Amino acid sequence: MMESRLNDNMLTNWDNIPSLKLGDFTLEFEISPPGPELQEVAKKELRETPEIQNESIAQLKELLKAETDLKCPLDNDAWLIRFLRPCKYYPESALKLVKNYYSFKIKHADMYDNLKPSREKNIFEHNILTVLPNRDQCGRRVLIIELGKKWKHNKCSLDEVFKGCVLYVEAAMLEPNTQIAGAVVVFDMDGLTLQQAWQFTPAIAKRIVDWLQDAVPLRIKNIHIINQPYVFNMVFALFKPFLREKLKSRLIFHGTDRKSFHQYVSPKCLPACYGGTLQLPRVTGSQWLELLLMCDKEFDAINSYGYKK
């Protein structure tokens, strides 16, 4: 049963779920169907019922058949659901998301060509991109991006940071629980220097914002900015012109105010460095890489779809 579920959710055939033992804790992709609690969230927030799901899958399939220059796995219902869930099962909206997602990949082919974990080891080894081993109190994945003290900008470029984020998001898209509950992103800017701030350009800012606003088939619930120094204002000024109201409303600035941060992410779900009480060890970028490398074939499959170049 487990294997067939896995094969439904992934595009390639797997013998077992990619997982990594870390002491008493097992880090793995959560490919199994959502439990009763998240099924309720899906029903309430995404209009997800078996009837609506089946109907929307059929309609989206028909709409995609008209996209003759787009190669995609139309017979894979789990793949179609990945685009339907963030769009609350409205097939026309899901079609638009599919088109945006693949158009963005063409537009930024320099970022996406043959993008897979085995080709992007550097970003993970720098340990500035990590996902917490647990979910938050709402069942969401938490991605932490540390672009200050840990970031050696002359050894790891912003383009590499972007690619690492894309790899994490593509992996998160495989998880039904994450498709429903979504994800939160935490930018920890502690120690950001002027030299690092200069790495950001309007073109980089526009690409990141366009990606988040139009081309991510995942519910990004909030983006938290914490520990930001004054120089961060210079960086944010580059992003501001491209932000639409929806994303702007999801950006929350906390500085060093932990109480403010804890209003959104429970301290029970956070490590001590963020004022939390979580007992699980932080998972390093290298450990996540080890897990992602087990999915290299899946990324080959992901890369095989899209608009003809």
Side-chain angles (χ1 to χ4, degrees):
M1 178 65 186
M2 183 72 82
E3 191 180 326
S4 66
R5 271 204 315 249
L6 183 62
N7 293 346
D8 285 346
N9 278 293
M10 291 185 155
L11 299 166
T12 52
N13 292 325
W14 293 82
D15 297 327
N16 45 38
I17 294 175
S19 64
L20 195 61
K21 198 94 175 88
L22 305 173
D24 298 333
F25 180 76
T26 301
L27 186 68
E28 66 179 21
F29 289 116
E30 296 171 9
I31 304 300
S32 49
E37 213 171 296
L38 274 177
Q39 280 176 20
E40 201 47 48
V41 172
K43 192 176 173 181
K44 204 165 97 184
E45 294 182 15
L46 309 178
R47 307 186 318 128
E48 183 171 311
T49 63
E51 300 75 35
I52 288 176
Q53 192 173 70
N54 291 336
E55 201 178 302
S56 300
I57 287 170
Q59 286 177 17
L60 181 56
K61 263 185 200 175
E62 284 311 306
L63 290 168
L64 282 166
K65 280 177 188 170
E67 294 293 308
T68 49
D69 54 348
L70 176 66
K71 183 192 174 194
C72 59
L74 284 181
D75 54 347
N76 185 317
D77 286 358
W79 179 86
L80 294 162
I81 289 167
R82 279 176 219 173
F83 290 91
L84 284 162
R85 277 188 172 135
C87 297
K88 301 184 180 181
Y89 284 93
Y90 291 107
E92 288 82 5
S93 302
L95 172 70
K96 189 180 174 190
L97 181 58
V98 171
K99 288 162 80 170
N100 284 352
Y101 172 75
Y102 286 113
S103 299
F104 188 86
K105 286 190 170 195
I106 290 283
K107 187 177 178 184
H108 300 283
D110 53 330
M111 295 291 120
Y112 282 91
D113 276 352
N114 206 11
L115 178 60
K116 55 184 179 176
S118 57
R119 290 170 59 91
E120 297 300 330
K121 292 180 181 178
N122 188 49
I123 176 62
F124 296 101
E125 284 160 2
H126 276 265
N127 199 31
I128 56 178
L129 283 187
T130 55
V131 173
L132 291 183
N134 56 298
R135 294 170 180 272
D136 77 356
Q137 72 281 5
C138 301
R140 302 174 295 203
R141 283 285 191 196
V142 182
L143 169 63
I144 297 175
I145 304 170
E146 296 177 76
L147 288 181
K149 287 174 183 167
K150 279 190 180 179
W151 180 31
K152 295 175 176 60
H153 61 275
N154 48 356
K155 293 185 178 169
C156 184
S157 71
L158 278 175
D159 282 351
E160 288 177 277
V161 174
F162 178 77
K163 288 190 212 179
C165 289
V166 169
L167 290 172
Y168 271 136
V169 165
E170 293 281 3
M173 281 166 61
L174 301 172
E175 299 185 310
N177 287 354
T178 311
Q179 292 166 16
I180 293 166
V184 294
V185 182
V186 179
F187 280 93
D188 182 349
M189 308 305 287
D190 187 23
L192 179 80
T193 65
L194 194 55
Q195 283 82 2
Q196 288 171 326
W198 282 335
Q199 305 307 305
F200 291 86
T201 64
I204 285 173
K206 187 175 188 321
R207 186 213 307 146
I208 292 168
V209 174
D210 287 351
W211 179 62
L212 286 169
Q213 290 185 148
D214 298 317
V216 171
L218 199 64
R219 306 177 77 201
I220 306 287
K221 302 300 284 181
N222 286 121
I223 297 174
H224 299 283
I225 317 289
I226 62 171
N227 300 329
Q228 71 273 25
Y230 187 71
V231 71
F232 177 76
N233 295 341
M234 192 174 108
V235 174
F236 188 60
L238 294 171
F239 285 79
K240 241 177 171 170
F242 309 117
L243 292 169
R244 294 199 294 270
E245 207 43 58
K246 188 177 176 182
L247 185 58
K248 209 184 281 183
S249 69
R250 293 186 178 181
L251 277 169
I252 305 152
F253 301 87
H254 303 286
T256 53
D257 185 346
R258 293 289 180 257
K259 273 188 181 162
S260 165
F261 185 32
H262 294 164
Q263 284 175 7
Y264 296 89
V265 184
S266 165
K268 289 178 187 167
C269 309
L270 290 167
C273 61
Y274 298 125
T277 55
L278 183 71
Q279 294 305 305
L280 290 173
R282 286 282 295 269
V283 181
T284 65
S286 296
Q287 287 167 328
W288 273 109
L289 174 64
E290 213 179 312
L291 189 66
L292 286 166
L293 284 172
M294 297 175 196
C295 299
D296 238 34
K297 270 187 195 162
E298 184 65 23
F299 283 92
D300 283 335
I302 288 166
N303 294 336
S304 72
Y305 300 113
Y307 283 109
K308 294 176 186 132
K309 287 173 193 168

